[in-house]
Amino acid sequence: MNAPVINPMTDSDLMTNTRPNGSKTMLIYESLARERMREAEQAANHARLVRRLSSARRWARLSAWTARRAQRANDML
């Protein structure tokens, strides 16, 4: 019932066998899936950067507007 305990750091079969198991067709699909995940991550990173830049611009505009409004209020005093 109990499976033998295998240490991946010392088992010589695991250390020397670097060839992937499976058919070439399956490996191609796995590679394509990994590439799609990479592309999705890059798109998400790009979208995050765009959101941060637009947010910074929005806060800069708001800050400039409040500074102008405060200056007008001071001028009226």
Side-chain angles (χ1 to χ4, degrees):
M1 289 289 277
N2 292 338
V5 177
I6 298 173
N7 185 350
M9 299 304 286
T10 59
D11 191 9
S12 62
D13 289 341
L14 293 175
M15 295 297 287
T16 58
N17 188 8
T18 57
R19 300 188 74 195
N21 296 332
S23 67
K24 287 186 180 186
T25 304
M26 194 61 189
L27 295 176
I28 290 171
Y29 288 130
E30 289 173 1
S31 178
L32 290 172
R34 280 190 216 100
E35 186 61 30
R36 282 194 299 269
M37 285 191 300
R38 257 185 245 113
E39 288 173 356
E41 287 174 6
Q42 288 174 349
N45 288 337
H46 180 72
R48 190 177 307 116
L49 179 61
V50 167
R51 281 194 309 272
R52 288 180 68 189
L53 290 175
S54 62
S55 176
R57 285 190 206 116
R58 184 171 43 252
W59 282 109
R61 283 193 309 267
L62 180 62
S63 174
W65 177 78
T66 55
R68 287 191 308 270
R69 184 173 176 181
Q71 186 61 42
R72 281 194 306 264
N74 281 338
D75 290 345
M76 295 177 87
L77 292 176

